[in-house]
Amino acid sequence: MLLSQIYIYPIKSARGIALNEVSVQTRGPAHDRSWMLVDDAGLFLSQRRAGRMAWITPRFEGDDLLVEAPGMPPLHVRPWRGKGDWVEAQIWDSHLRLPHPDSRYDEWFSAVLGQSCRLVYLPQDVLRPVEPPFDGAGSTVSLSDGFPLLV
């Protein structure tokens, strides 16, 4: 079997980026599901609850993540550099404390979705274990639904 293309999703539930190759790390493909939108209660947003997330189109421009959506100016999301508030976030059964780097990002995403939300980031030193019963090896995962690789 030959894998000829893979999609990564830098922002969970936004549009993906098609790649011919990607570096695979212990948590999954590099840059895959490192960012996530959460509502005011800290619960993750996905297209299941916020269908307008399908409009959000990310792409890399150097180290920045350039995000576009219809009717909105492009947004440059800078790599997280250790600054910002830390907030409680929940993705499925995982309760995490994640950095919320810049409230200006929130205004842009809230305008696109038509609801209040915050953009949070999963740094390398915040570990999210794979859910039981598959967590026996101490594996960790990004902000994907459950596993480092979903093929």
Side-chain angles (χ1 to χ4, degrees), residues 13-71:
S13 251
R15 287 188 178 177
I17 300 172
L19 300 173
N20 292 326
E21 61 181 48
V22 66
S23 170
V24 177
Q25 302 165 343
T26 57
R27 290 208 264 206
H31 307 294
D32 186 53
R33 295 170 181 96
S34 298
W35 296 92
M36 175 173 72
L37 293 170
V38 297
D39 64 16
D40 291 336
L43 185 60
F44 82 99
L45 293 174
S46 72
Q47 289 184 33
R48 296 172 194 98
R49 288 182 38 219
R52 291 182 181 182
M53 288 187 75
W55 296 346
I56 300 170
T57 305
R59 67 180 165 86
F60 288 100
E61 191 171 271
D63 288 337
D64 290 355
L65 187 62
L66 180 70
V67 188
E68 298 176 304

Side-chain angles (χ1 to χ4, degrees), residues 95-145:
H95 295 267
L96 306 166
R97 191 158 175 76
L98 300 175
H100 168 246
D102 193 329
S103 61
R104 291 176 294 173
Y105 300 156
D106 305 345
E107 295 168 15
W108 191 93
F109 285 104
S110 294
V112 170
L113 298 186
Q115 72 178 80
S116 178
C117 64
R118 292 179 285 186
L119 183 68
V120 296
Y121 179 73
L122 180 66
Q124 289 297 320
D125 60 342
V126 174
L127 303 179
R128 179 176 174 233
V130 172
E131 292 190 17
F134 305 102
D135 61 343
S139 297
T140 59
V141 66
S142 66
L143 296 167
S144 67
D145 279 353

